[in-house]
Amino acid sequence: MHRVVDSPQGKYDVAILGGGFAGATASRQLTRAGLRVLIIEARDRLAGRMWSQPAYFDGHAVEWGGAFMLDRPSYPLTWKEIDEHDLRLDWGSLAKTKLIWLSDGQRRVGPMPVPLDELVSFERLLLRISELASRIDPIQPIEDQDVADLDVPWPSLLEGLALGPHTRELFSTHIVTLAGDPWDVPSALPLLHTIAKSGSVSAATFFAAPYDTPMARTLGPQLADGTGALHDAVMSGSDADVLLGTEVVAVEDTGADVRVTTSTATLTVEAVVCALPIGVLSGVRFSPGLSPELNTLASQGVAGQAEKVTVFVSNCPEPFYAHGIPPGGGFATASTTFHDGDRAIVVGFTSEAGIVDLDDVGAVQNSLRQYVPDITVDAVAWHDWAGDQYSRGTWSYLRPGQSTLRPKARQRQGRITFAGSDFDARLGVEGALHTGGLAAEEVLGILGR
Ligand SMILES: Cc1cc2nc3c(=O)[nH]c(=O)nc-3n(C[C@H](O)[C@H](O)[C@H](O)COP(=O)(O)OP(=O)(O)OC[C@H]3O[C@@H](n4cnc5c(N)ncnc54)[C@H](O)[C@@H]3O)c2cc1C
């Protein structure tokens, strides 16, 4: 069982920098191999960008960061943990969901995302996406495939399609929700890969909305006991010591060992797993310096900058899923994840960072009222992950060119290995679990185990 310590307790074989899911996975694997491991975490808690807090408002929990467990084919390692630890799932309200679409200044309700006169344009979009996705082998790693021409932003792939304004706006909004950035920033490749794996455009995009509980359908379920339960499950298999509230400032690989300097001390270990977000790497002094690939990635940072917001509301007579571009900007997607009577919890993603003053309940209410006119906001929960000095970004979505850069950027440098979802084409927690395992294997190799 891991234990939280006030200071390093004797000599450790391995230091793990960062106690998110990547660090936790690596620590479990390394302590199971019999190594003495110290996790050094800057915050006063573990789990990094997945942070659940029980009974935040009116008895309801809040997930400040990552929360949705994607489908089994995309998230095999995550689902293995969920199954093995018997974690309970929350698929949201099972009541019929009202679908609300907002595009070209027009609000529409019903299963059809676009007005009827854009049906042909909408079908053209689906067909083009299917054709592009069919070029991707769902089994092979994306970086090994000859698909560089798909590693570009979406607008260039849809040129010449003459999409109607509603079709274009709604699809661009979908990309904004997925990537947390305007649709001309991220690469089209991750979504095309997801579509190839799921086998259909509608299963992998917001077009799944005509089904009930669309947030769960499009993004996956949440964990009923919070993502903290998943992190606890991983850590339950780790015997590491954990040092909280301790920032790593420098890492020096001498060739014979590694010296890790924190805000309070320097310790010497045989090897290091660096499981820090890429956005913070340039704030840590590495000697020798980072590889050119990793330097590029660290300076580019994570693509996603838009905000996720959890809103506790009343005057909400039915569960809803809303999607679009409100005039002047607002929530690109907003969906009830819980509904009871006229009270609900709405999870929203802004169409652009800073577009809504999320500390202003009135501003959030005005934004939501573009979709549900009488809704009343009782409380708002959000965290500024882009401004947070220990994350400097939200979830890691690929920019063009990063799918080939990332595997090289993660390559071990001497006695230092790298882990974290920001290094992986698999999104979110799955990428963290995957790379945490890879980095642990590499450390075992370095130590000759
Ligand atoms: C708003 C939001 C929504 C998301 N939605 C989803 C979702 O629905 N599904 C999904 O799968 N994923 C989602 N994600 C992404 C997911 O949360 C992350 O991919 C995953 O948690 C990253 O894990 P990690 O271990 O790689 O990094 P992190 O969780 O960031 O862990 C890195 C750790 O390093 C620590 N650290 C940083 N600097 C230092 C330092 N100098 N010294 C010591 N420690 C340091 C940090 O405090 C942190 O604990 C979301 C993320 C955000 C922010």
Side-chain angles (χ1 to χ4, degrees):
M1 184 69 185
H2 70 279
R3 57 176 183 161
V4 176
V5 294
D6 291 333
S7 58
Q9 307 289 304
K11 173 110 182 75
Y12 294 94
D13 300 306
V14 183
I16 296 182
L17 320 184
F21 274 89
T25 311
S27 83
R28 179 175 64 183
Q29 214 154 311
L30 292 172
T31 57
R32 278 183 178 163
L35 297 173
R36 277 209 81 209
V37 173
L38 177 68
I39 296 178
I40 307 173
E41 168 56 52
R43 301 180 200 272
D44 58 4
R45 61 170 182 84
L46 292 173
R49 278 170 283 170
M50 281 200 153
W51 176 24
S52 58
Q53 197 175 332
Y56 172 77
F57 180 77
D58 204 17
H60 294 288
V62 69
E63 293 281 1
W64 299 93
F68 298 96
M69 304 291 121
L70 270 58
D71 57 288
R72 281 176 181 272
S74 314
Y75 269 36
L77 299 171
T78 311
W79 282 93
K80 188 164 177 281
E81 302 289 345
I82 293 172
D83 292 343
E84 274 181 19
H85 297 279
D86 221 2
L87 300 180
R88 294 185 308 129
L89 299 171
D90 175 5
W91 288 91
S93 166
L94 291 174
K96 195 165 173 359
T97 300
K98 184 172 184 169
L99 303 167
I100 305 162
W101 310 95
L102 197 54
S103 53
D104 208 20
Q106 196 186 87
R107 178 180 177 277
R108 296 174 307 280
V109 174
M112 184 65 190
V114 295
L116 268 185
D117 60 4
E118 277 201 23
L119 189 55
V120 176
S121 150
F122 184 62
E123 293 287 351
R124 272 202 303 271
L125 171 69
L126 297 190
L127 193 61
R128 170 66 61 90
I129 299 173
S130 303
E131 281 166 3
L132 296 172
S134 68
R135 287 191 38 214
I136 297 176
D137 179 341
I139 311 290
Q140 295 305 317
I142 197 72
E143 57 270 17
D144 296 345
Q145 301 187 40
D146 183 18
V147 286
D149 58 319
L150 303 181
D151 194 8
V152 293
W154 276 100
S156 59
L157 292 179
L158 304 181
E159 261 167 29
L161 270 192
L163 296 178
H166 299 276
T167 309
R168 193 177 167 87
E169 271 194 16
L170 286 171
F171 187 62
S172 70
T173 312
H174 182 57
I175 302 304
V176 168
T177 304
L178 278 180
D181 255 327
W183 80 318
D184 55 357
V185 173
S187 167
L189 209 47
L191 179 58
L192 289 172
H193 197 202
T194 309
I195 292 168
K197 282 189 284 188
S198 75
S200 88
V201 179
S202 60
T205 67
F206 72 87
F207 305 125
Y211 298 103
D212 285 339
T213 65
M215 191 65 111
R217 296 281 175 192
T218 48
L219 289 178
Q222 299 187 82
L223 294 171
D225 298 307
T227 50
L230 180 59
H231 199 272
D232 288 348
V234 176
M235 284 305 289
S236 68
S238 167
D239 283 332
D241 282 359
V242 179
L243 202 52
L244 294 174
T246 308
E247 186 178 327
V248 174
V249 294
V251 183
E252 184 194 358
D253 184 347
T254 68
D257 52 29
V258 190
R259 294 188 190 147
V260 179
T261 304
T262 71
S263 34
T264 53
T266 296
L267 68 146
T268 303
V269 288
E270 300 291 308
V272 157
V273 175
C274 176
L276 305 176
I278 56 165
V280 310
L281 283 181
S282 36
V284 178
R285 284 192 317 277
F286 283 88
S287 163
L290 299 173
S291 67
E293 290 84 2
L294 188 44
N295 253 329
T296 306
L297 216 54
S299 61
Q300 288 176 345
V302 164
Q305 300 291 320
E307 299 103 353
K308 173 193 174 182
V309 192
T310 305
V311 195
F312 300 86
V313 299
S314 44
N315 270 344
C316 178
E318 52 203 327
F320 70 89
Y321 174 77
H323 193 78
I325 299 198
F331 291 107
T333 300
S335 174
T336 48
T337 54
F338 164 85
H339 188 268
D340 183 23
D342 80 332
R343 313 204 69 176
I345 299 175
V346 176
V347 170
F349 295 89
T350 54
S351 58
E352 197 183 319
I355 197 82
V356 183
D357 180 354
L358 300 171
D359 293 322
D360 177 351
V361 167
V364 174
Q365 181 167 286
N366 285 342
S367 285
L368 280 183
R369 282 188 173 181
Q370 306 218 35
Y371 290 116
V372 183
D374 296 323
I375 203 163
T376 304
V377 171
D378 300 319
V380 181
W382 77 288
H383 181 74
D384 180 10
W385 295 101
D388 184 326
Q389 63 170 319
Y390 298 130
S391 53
R392 297 267 178 242
T394 56
W395 55 94
S396 36
Y397 209 79
L398 289 164
R399 293 171 193 265
Q402 287 188 336
S403 61
T404 43
L405 198 60
R406 283 191 193 197
K408 289 183 193 139
R410 208 196 62 71
Q411 274 168 12
R412 84 171 169 93
Q413 292 185 226
R415 292 176 170 269
I416 306 171
T417 67
F418 295 91
S421 62
D422 300 344
F423 288 101
D424 209 65
R426 296 158 191 79
L427 298 173
V429 63
E430 181 72 13
L433 296 177
H434 180 237
T435 53
L438 294 178
E441 282 301 315
E442 288 160 3
V443 165
L444 294 175
I446 293 168
L447 302 188
R449 299 286 182 127

